[in-house]
Amino acid sequence: MPDAAFEPARPQVLLGLIGAGIQQSLTPAMHQEEGRHHGLRLHYQLIDLEKFGGSPADLPGLLNAARKMGFAGLNITYPCKQAVIALLDELSDEARAMGAVNTVVNRNGRLIGHNTDGSGWARGFRRALPDADLRCAVLLGAGGAGAAIAHAALRLGVGELRIVDADAERAAALALELNARCEGHRANACVTAEQALPGATGLIHATPTGMAKLPGLPLDAALLRADLWVSEVVYFPLETALLQAARALGCPISDGGGMAVGQALGAFELFTGCEADPARVERHFHHLLNLRESR
Ligand code: NAD
């Protein structure tokens, strides 16, 4: 029997999430469990601005502290995804294009900003709907999640992206920015879903409607058609009213869990350099969601 005192220490990895109102986040448990499978002593700390009465103005102090304490990285969420950019040493191409950072990696004291939201959505989407017809997708919601997905959708090969937002100026600004960055004029803003959906092959939903605290449908269910694939971003609950309506029609669907898992896989790989196991992380995510739903 080897003496425990002489066992080589497992590598220690310190991670954290900076955001407001993040006490229910499943991210710490997802990273810690995957880290355990890779033989890492991974500690993931919630840094909740709401809990200590903080704001994005606290970011410089928090980043300096994380650097001094040897954090390997941080996830960043609302309301800090844009504010953090000015404080970083370097940005990945994806984060620069999206103008938002959800993952910061500490490389020998240099803080490098990444964005795994868009690529995470694409990972989940490809796993759920590998044969989806990408000719024309409607994106409902041009906020933080919608903007990240819009970039990823064009990278994935969506031929035309029609963007609808209750704030028409936001939809127009996103279309303008996408067209400036990507070849061809592939993004168009539409005023309503009724206007955007005819002829579309898919619908990506990226508004908060359907969340447990904001139940309901984000559009008239009569606009859905059986030949439309539907990609949802809301994951609590996993089965939103939109997915229920789409499922009842027989639409191919991709739920919001795919993006939640996909962005965590991307962040885990950036933080640790280890390749995460998608099926294992997905199983654990569903287990955590079931626990949360049963509370
Ligand atoms: P946000 O507030 O930045 O943006 C939401 C946008 O939706 C706004 O521009 C708003 O005007 C628009 N909107 C609201 N209702 C609308 C409607 N009925 N029709 C058209 N537009 C409408 O929010 P966000 O950060 O982009 O988050 C959106 C949702 O995505 C939230 O439910 C969030 O939990 C979820 N999300 C999921 C993941 C994941 O990993 N699955 C990741 C990030 C965000």
Side-chain angles (χ1 to χ4, degrees):
M1 271 287 269
D3 184 334
F6 294 105
E7 271 188 67
R10 288 178 294 140
Q12 185 170 353
V13 182
L14 266 177
L15 300 174
L17 170 64
I18 300 180
I22 51 176
Q23 292 304 308
Q24 301 293 316
S25 173
L26 304 180
T27 307
M30 286 164 79
H31 281 267
Q32 284 179 180
E33 177 64 5
E34 188 57 16
R36 195 176 65 77
H37 286 282
H38 290 268
L40 304 171
R41 281 183 301 149
L42 192 153
H43 175 75
Y44 195 110
Q45 182 71 31
L46 284 181
I47 304 163
D48 192 341
L49 300 178
E50 205 170 276
K51 225 176 164 198
F52 65 84
S55 75
D58 292 298
L59 274 172
L62 292 172
L63 291 185
N64 267 334
R67 207 189 315 241
K68 284 180 188 159
M69 288 191 282
F71 273 58
L74 295 162
N75 281 127
I76 308 290
T77 190
Y78 175 84
C80 300
K81 284 183 179 180
Q82 281 87 25
V84 76
I85 289 179
L87 307 168
L88 302 175
D89 299 304
E90 208 178 309
L91 283 182
S92 71
D93 291 344
E94 208 170 2
R96 184 173 297 108
M98 291 174 186
V101 161
N102 79 331
T103 301
V104 174
V105 177
N106 180 1
R107 287 268 177 274
N108 305 318
R110 282 179 64 76
L111 299 184
I112 304 162
H114 298 263
N115 194 311
T116 66
D117 282 336
S119 55
W121 169 82
R123 262 172 121 140
F125 180 81
R126 275 198 310 261
R127 253 170 90 75
L129 301 173
D131 302 320
D133 181 342
L134 298 179
R135 273 175 300 169
C136 175
V138 172
L139 171 67
L140 194 59
I149 292 170
H151 284 271
L154 292 184
R155 279 184 194 210
L156 195 65
V158 164
E160 182 192 355
L161 189 68
R162 298 178 183 163
I163 306 167
V164 182
D165 195 289
D167 178 344
E169 279 179 21
R170 189 174 279 185
L174 179 58
L176 204 66
E177 191 219 315
L178 291 164
N179 287 328
R181 284 190 184 275
C182 303
E183 269 185 39
H185 183 105
R186 291 194 284 151
N188 290 302
C190 294
V191 178
T192 62
E194 286 89 330
Q195 199 184 74
L197 279 164
T201 53
L203 168 68
I204 303 166
H205 175 239
T207 89
T209 309
M211 294 174 77
K213 59 184 177 193
L214 200 63
L217 276 162
L219 80 178
D220 183 352
L223 294 171
L224 298 175
R225 309 182 311 264
D227 63 346
L228 204 61
W229 52 259
V230 177
S231 167
E232 172 67 283
V233 287
V234 173
Y235 65 87
F236 191 69
L238 211 48
E239 191 69 5
T240 58
L242 174 64
L243 287 193
Q244 277 171 6
R247 213 184 280 281
L249 280 174
C251 303
I253 62 167
S254 164
D255 67 37
M259 178 174 174
V261 169
Q263 63 81 22
L265 292 171
F268 183 87
E269 291 170 3
L270 286 166
F271 290 146
T272 66
C274 300
E275 199 174 322
D277 179 331
R280 182 169 62 208
V281 176
E282 195 173 286
R283 271 197 310 277
H284 186 233
F285 172 77
H286 284 111
H287 168 69
L288 293 169
L289 262 190
N290 287 337
L291 284 179
R292 193 167 147 185
E293 271 170 19
S294 64
R295 265 192 236 139

